[in-house]
Amino acid sequence: MGLEKVVEKLEEVPPLLRLLTGSATGQLITTYVNMITSPRKKGEKDGPLEVHLIILDNGRSKIFADPQRRQTLQCIRCGTCLNHCPVYTRIGGHAYGFTYPGPIGKILTPQIEGLETAGVLATASSLCNACEEVCPVKIPIPELLRRIRSESYSKDPSSTISGQGYKSNGIESLIWKMWAKINSHSWINTAGLKILSILGLKLPNIGPLKHWTRYRATPTIAKKSLHDLVKQHGVDNE
């Protein structure tokens, strides 16, 4: 079992079981609980001669070391986030390709396996926040998904997750910098839209855009912007 399943005292188990079954299926109590105790004591006629409990770390201690990511380990495996996830309910668990599917798998697997191996799982989300709303232990799954996505493109020196920046691309970074430059100067944005409204927007049916433009209509640029229409109707204070 994973080390996050360890609780300090036996009296802490019943609340977790009630929370687990109530969140998973609405039951008051689970239909079975396996209690493993010590080996057979002297004079006892039943019980194992030896007991071996294997506790796996498998990267979990590194996850726990991060104050934000350690919240992932609070998961009690109730499956509530899976039942409410619009992605999981449509593609099923096998599509994820790893042991843990659904929203919790999207944040746990990349942290264990590394971003280069499983970071793509974080993109299979609409960030609708349904998983966080229904999670009985309040794991901020959307927030952790955004962090994993961010670290897939850039490196955080304080982070221990492997494979950071594996999606980093010079051309893509340049495009986003140009986009930020254009949108931070209104006159550039306005001039560009006016030129496009006159010439028309034509997306090339070649290269990486070929498959995208094959099934999509070219967006139409309005002749006048919203700001122009507001001014035209005599509204000065926008």
Side-chain angles (χ1 to χ4, degrees), residues 98-166:
F98 293 92
T99 302
Y100 303 109
I104 188 62
K106 296 172 194 174
I107 61 173
L108 179 60
T109 305
Q111 295 181 68
I112 292 177
E113 301 290 341
L115 294 179
E116 197 165 359
T117 301
V120 68
L121 292 177
T123 63
S125 172
S126 63
L127 299 177
C128 66
N129 279 30
C131 50
E132 183 178 11
E133 290 179 9
V134 299
C135 178
V137 291
K138 303 303 178 186
I139 300 174
I141 296 177
E143 182 181 330
L144 290 165
L145 282 171
R146 285 190 288 269
R147 178 174 176 181
I148 291 172
R149 289 182 180 184
S150 175
E151 291 184 357
S152 295
Y153 286 93
S154 59
K155 295 184 178 181
D156 180 3
S158 64
S159 178
T160 57
I161 192 170
S162 64
Q164 292 184 68
Y166 82 100

Side-chain angles (χ1 to χ4, degrees), residues 15-29:
L16 287 175
L17 290 177
R18 288 196 297 270
L19 189 63
L20 171 63
T21 55
S23 300
T25 59
Q27 295 173 271
L28 294 177
I29 190 171

